[in-house]
């Protein structure tokens, strides 16, 4: 149990982040020019119908009261009803969130799984051709605009070669195992695009921290003790070099979600990022608030997971 | 770190002031000139800036429609034409104006705001925990969706895009500058400065900001290249300035017209432009960092 005690202050910060996201969204929606009343009530309505409608959605109350009611409902898990679809926001989000989690999760896991070995490869070939090559791939990947690489993949693998589907998340007419297969093939291109633009930061961070770790006294000692180079590299140096990489995951999460919005647009993927974009154009405020809340919770939970991993990698954290 | 401290004791006139002296920047330049990738990056950036400034001389502003629709690249239209027959070369050249303007303006605002917040937080230690929580929380928000939201509500225009991108770029600057500023404020010369003046404003402006300038230079480049990508992202979603060409808008219109998958030139050329700008900026900052650091200089 005490292994997890260090998480308590982080939990507090997580709640703070979620509250901040909820409040920022609420204030932005109410204080910026777009009027939610216009979205649900058309100016052609009579004054009475309009008043009834506004009252029904609680939009006739003063701002601070609306805010209080909204916070209270969020705490209770009530996210309201979509303006445009007239179904609970929770249901709207539940249709979308799993796809985004699948996409970003796959992208993140493959990025880390490919990025760490590539970083190790570069660091252990420091200054040689392989190192240069990995660095060039990393820096170039970081500079690519997500839709550019997405369209390129779509063009090459979807249209020219015809290997993979070019849009959507699954086949409508597939059942059972075939359905899971179609989910995987639809996921491949968006996840690959998202992975490539993320990869650079991980590879470059891994490379530079590992190079530093290989210069430390304890790796020298391990080598002097006659341990084979591979063991020193993978067991001694890598373990410490993993720490900044773990921190990087937390810092990149916001960026990952942003990339997911663009990727979902290119591939017509039915995720929450695409949902936000549609809700904005329709001024569907409850869905927007709910979507930001969902994304904020996702980011916070993912951060907590990386913090936990960090705690296991670095025993000092638990004492602090 | 030793570098900062050594620079700090350099004396000008009556009062010790932290600054990058002329000799140091000349050495940086000499080292920089020997980095082929850095010089190449500088060249590409200059080329793009010239293209942006001299756009009216290079290509006529794309008219609202033209004759050969979706023509592939040919001697008349180097980059082909789009679904309304407009010259893609002209769009890319004029788009460089918008992209560079947004990058420069947004990162300038973000740098000023981010540095001021970082330095004030570092100097007045009681504010620092507040600053660090604010930065952490803002950095963990899903930024692009928030930008989409604001741009859609306020209405897309160049000013909106600049302000929105700046509003979400400053925490990254603060994070970088803060870590350096926290070290600088503990150096003895800052204590010495406190003995000579009671104005924190003077100490911050004259002694702390110059000492964190190298970090600022690097973060200008990082922020500007991220700003290019954010602005392109907004434009790609249809939230760019409808009255000005930008690289993101070319991609957006290509997707809207459904020609994105058949007319490869519509996406290839603006994509290359974005890649060149961002890549050149990144390589420039790497080369500058190497050149500035005496330990990594090749002799």
């Amino acid at each position: 149990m005490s292994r997890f005690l260090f998480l308590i202050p982080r939990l507090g910060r997580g709640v703070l982040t979620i509250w901040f996201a909820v409040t920022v969204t609420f204030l932005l929606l109410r204080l910026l020019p777009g009027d939610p009343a216009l979205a649900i009530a058309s100016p052609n309505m009579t004054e009475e119908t309009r008043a009834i409608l506004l009252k029904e959605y609680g939009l006739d109350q003063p701002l601070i009261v609306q805010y209080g009611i909204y916070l209270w409902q969020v705490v209770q898990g009530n996210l309201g009803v979509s303006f445009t679809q007239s179904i609970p926001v929770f249901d709207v989000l539940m249709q979308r969130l799993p796809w985004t989690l699948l996409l970003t999760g796959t992208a993140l896991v493959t990025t880390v799984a490919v990025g760490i070995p590539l970083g190790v490869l570069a660091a252990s070939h420091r200054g040689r051709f392989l190192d240069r090559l990995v660095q060039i791939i990393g820096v170039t990947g970081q500079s690519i605009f997500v839709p550019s690489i997405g369209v390129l993949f779509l063009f090459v693998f979807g249209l020219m070669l015809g290997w993979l589907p070019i849009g959507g998340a699954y086949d409508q007419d597939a059942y059972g195992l075939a359905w899971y297969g179609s989910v995987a093939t639809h996921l491949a291109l968006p996840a690959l695009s998202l992975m490539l633009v993320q990869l650079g930061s991980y590879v470059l961070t891994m490379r530079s921290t590992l190079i530093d770790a290989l210069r430390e006294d304890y790796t020298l000692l391990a080598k002097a003790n006659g341990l084979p180079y591979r063991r020193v590299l993978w067991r001694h140096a890598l373990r410490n070099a993993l720490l900044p990489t773990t921190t990087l995951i937390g810092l990149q999460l916001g960026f990952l979600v942003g990339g997911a919005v663009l990727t979902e647009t290119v591939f017509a993927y039915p995720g929450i990022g695409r949902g936000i974009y549609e809700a904005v154009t329709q001024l569907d405020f409850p869905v927007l608030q709910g979507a930001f809340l969902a994304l904020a919770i996702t980011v916070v939970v993912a951060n907590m997971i990386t913090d936990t991993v960090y705690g296991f990698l670095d025993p000092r954290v638990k004492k602090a | 770190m030793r570098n900062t401290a050594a620079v700090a004791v350099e004396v000008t006139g009556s009062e010790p002031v932290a600054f990058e002296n002329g000799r140091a920047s000349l050495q940086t330049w000499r080292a920089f000139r020997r980095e082929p990738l850095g010089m190449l990056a500088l060249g590409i950036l200059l080329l793009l800036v010239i293209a942006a400034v001299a756009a009216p001389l290079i290509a006529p502003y794309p008219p609202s429609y033209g004759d050969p629709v979706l023509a592939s690249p040919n001697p008349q239209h180097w980059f082909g034409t789009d679904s309304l027959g407009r010259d893609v070369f002209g769009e890319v050249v004029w788009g460089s104006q918008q992209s560079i303007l947004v990058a420069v303006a947004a990162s300038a605002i973000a740098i000023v705001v981010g540095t001021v917040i970082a330095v004030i937080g570092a100097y007045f230690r009681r504010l620092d925990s507040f600053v660090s929580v604010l930065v952490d929380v803002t950095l963990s928000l899903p930024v692009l969706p928030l930008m989409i939201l604001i741009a859609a509500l306020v209405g897309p225009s160049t000013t909106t895009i600049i302000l929105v991108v700046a509003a979400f770029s400053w925490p990254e600057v603060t994070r970088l500058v803060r870590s350096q500023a926290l070290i600088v404020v503990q150096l003895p010369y800052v204590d010495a400065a406190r003995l000579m003046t009671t104005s924190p404003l003077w100490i911050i402006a004259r002694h702390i900001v110059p000492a964190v300038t190298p970090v600022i230079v690097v973060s200008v480049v990082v922020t500007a290249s991220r700003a290019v990508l954010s602005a392109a992202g907004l434009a790609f979603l249809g939230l760019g300035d409808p009255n000005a060409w930008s690289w993101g808008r070319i991609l957006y219109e290509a997707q809207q017209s459904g020609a994105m998958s058949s007319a490869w030139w519509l996406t290839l050329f603006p994509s290359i432009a974005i890649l060149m700008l961002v890549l050149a900026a990144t390589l420039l900052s790497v080369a500058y960092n190497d050149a500035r650091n005496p330990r990594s200089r090749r002799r």
Side-chain angles (χ1 to χ4, degrees):
Chain A
M1 194 48 222
S2 62
R3 303 200 72 151
F4 295 98
L5 275 182
F6 72 96
L7 281 174
I8 290 175
R10 282 148 212 258
L11 197 66
R13 181 164 283 197
V15 172
L16 184 72
T17 308
I18 293 171
W19 169 79
F20 190 72
V22 168
T23 307
V24 164
T25 328
F26 180 87
L27 288 179
L28 282 177
L29 287 173
R30 295 306 190 281
L31 299 181
L32 288 177
D35 185 357
L38 288 180
I40 50 161
S42 96
N44 302 333
M45 288 178 183
T46 62
E47 205 54 40
E48 280 164 35
T49 356
R50 192 179 145 87
I52 293 168
L53 252 182
L54 290 186
K55 196 171 165 123
E56 196 177 314
Y57 286 99
L59 291 169
D60 56 339
Q61 306 275 350
L63 197 65
I64 184 83
V65 178
Q66 286 186 36
Y67 178 62
I69 293 173
Y70 179 64
L71 269 190
W72 178 235
Q73 287 177 339
V74 166
V75 171
Q76 290 175 315
N78 175 2
L79 297 176
V81 175
S82 162
F83 282 168
T84 50
Q85 300 179 56
S86 300
I87 50 173
V89 171
F90 188 81
D91 297 351
V92 178
L93 295 180
M94 280 306 117
Q95 291 166 7
R96 302 242 176 203
L97 193 59
W99 295 114
T100 299
L101 289 182
L102 182 67
L103 173 61
T104 51
T106 312
L108 186 62
V109 169
T110 48
T111 309
V112 173
V114 174
I116 289 177
L118 272 184
V120 173
L121 190 73
S124 55
H125 289 76
R126 190 176 179 217
R128 280 185 270 161
F129 173 73
L130 262 179
D131 180 28
R132 287 275 150 159
L133 185 71
V134 169
Q135 274 183 287
I136 289 171
I137 294 173
V139 172
T140 313
Q142 259 181 325
S143 315
I144 291 179
F145 184 46
V146 195
S148 302
I149 193 86
V151 172
L152 179 72
F153 284 159
L154 216 141
F155 198 73
V156 174
F157 296 107
L159 293 168
M160 276 171 60
L161 299 172
W163 290 351
L164 292 163
I166 56 166
Y170 54 88
D171 278 336
Q172 300 281 355
D173 45 3
Y175 293 97
L177 263 184
W179 188 80
Y180 287 101
S182 78
V183 168
T185 50
H186 282 82
L187 181 64
L189 291 182
L192 191 63
S193 322
L194 208 46
M195 185 198 103
L196 269 183
V197 292
Q198 294 267 315
L199 194 62
S201 334
Y202 290 91
V203 172
L204 298 178
T205 308
M206 193 65 226
R207 175 186 172 274
S208 64
T209 48
L210 192 58
I211 285 175
D212 287 345
L214 285 171
R215 280 200 202 121
E216 296 273 340
D217 290 343
Y218 71 86
T219 45
L220 189 68
L221 179 71
K223 276 185 229 163
N225 273 337
L227 288 179
Y229 176 72
R230 285 179 161 275
R231 196 178 158 84
V232 176
L233 179 71
W234 288 95
R235 298 294 293 273
H236 295 248
L238 182 66
R239 189 161 171 192
N240 272 322
L242 277 178
L243 294 177
T245 313
T246 317
T247 316
L248 189 69
I249 296 178
L251 288 174
Q252 291 273 319
L253 279 174
F255 183 60
L256 180 68
V257 170
V261 177
L262 295 171
T263 317
E264 286 172 7
T265 306
V266 173
F267 291 97
Y269 205 77
I272 210 163
R274 191 68 200 147
I276 285 180
Y277 176 68
E278 282 163 11
V280 164
T281 49
Q282 297 161 343
L283 290 177
D284 194 339
F285 286 36
V287 170
L288 279 176
Q289 286 169 334
F292 280 103
L293 181 64
L295 287 182
I297 291 175
T298 310
V299 170
V300 166
V301 169
N303 256 322
M304 302 274 294
I305 294 173
T306 54
D307 280 344
T308 316
V309 172
Y310 199 104
F312 280 105
L313 286 174
D314 186 352
R316 286 168 301 182
V317 174
K318 276 171 254 166
K319 294 191 186 109
Chain B
M1 270 328 59
R2 208 179 300 142
N3 191 19
T4 327
V7 169
V9 291
E10 202 83 31
V11 175
T12 52
S14 58
E15 190 185 0
V17 168
F19 70 118
E20 285 251 10
N21 61 22
R23 208 159 50 85
S25 48
L26 193 68
Q27 275 178 352
T28 303
W29 170 240
R30 281 209 191 111
F32 183 82
R33 260 191 335 203
R34 264 179 271 157
E35 303 260 350
L37 268 183
M39 289 304 285
L40 182 70
L42 191 66
I44 291 175
L45 280 186
L46 283 178
L47 199 74
L48 287 170
V49 170
I50 291 171
V53 174
L57 302 175
I58 299 172
Y61 191 84
S64 45
Y65 56 89
D67 189 19
V69 170
L70 288 177
S72 55
N74 58 60
Q76 278 87 47
H77 303 285
W78 292 356
F79 292 178
T81 58
D82 68 7
S83 54
L84 292 175
R86 293 168 296 196
D87 181 35
V88 178
F89 179 72
E91 292 175 1
V92 172
V93 168
W94 282 87
S96 64
Q97 258 185 2
Q98 171 82 356
S99 300
I100 291 175
L101 173 72
V102 171
V104 169
S107 59
I109 298 173
I111 291 291
V112 171
V113 173
T115 307
V116 166
I117 293 178
V119 173
I120 287 179
Y123 189 82
F124 302 103
R125 295 307 290 272
R126 265 175 302 168
L127 292 176
D128 187 54
S129 55
F130 176 71
V131 167
S132 89
V133 169
L134 187 67
V135 167
D136 277 3
V137 167
T138 319
L139 277 179
S140 57
L141 289 178
V143 171
L144 188 70
L146 272 177
M147 288 185 184
I148 296 171
L149 179 65
I150 299 176
L153 289 178
V154 178
S157 74
T158 305
T159 324
T160 314
I161 291 161
I162 291 172
L163 291 178
V164 166
V165 172
F168 292 103
S169 304
W170 68 264
E172 191 67 41
V173 179
T174 304
R175 198 173 66 85
L176 282 172
V177 174
R178 176 176 165 266
S179 59
Q180 177 77 10
L182 283 176
I183 298 166
V184 170
V185 290
Q186 284 172 351
L187 292 177
Y189 83 91
V190 176
D191 288 334
R194 281 205 188 96
L195 294 175
M196 302 189 68
T197 172
T198 50
S199 159
L201 204 68
W202 175 262
I203 298 176
I204 288 174
R206 203 69 203 276
H207 298 283
I208 297 177
V209 171
V212 297
T213 304
V215 185
I216 298 177
V217 172
V218 173
S219 68
V220 165
V221 175
V222 175
T223 318
S225 52
R226 284 229 166 168
V228 173
L229 291 177
S230 302
L234 284 175
F236 176 70
L237 294 169
L239 295 167
D241 190 334
N243 300 314
W245 279 104
S246 67
W247 296 331
R249 184 182 154 197
I250 304 173
L251 294 173
Y252 166 70
E253 296 201 347
Q255 208 203 15
Q256 287 294 305
S257 67
M260 200 173 216
S261 44
S262 51
W264 52 267
W265 55 93
L266 286 181
T267 42
L268 182 68
F269 295 110
S271 295
I272 289 178
I274 297 174
L275 180 66
M276 285 214 312
L277 179 56
V278 178
L279 192 59
T282 314
L283 289 177
L284 188 71
S285 77
V286 172
Y288 170 79
N289 247 347
D290 285 350
R292 196 181 59 80
N293 185 349
R295 267 177 296 178
S296 66
R297 266 184 211 156
R298 275 176 290 171
R299 300 267 167 204

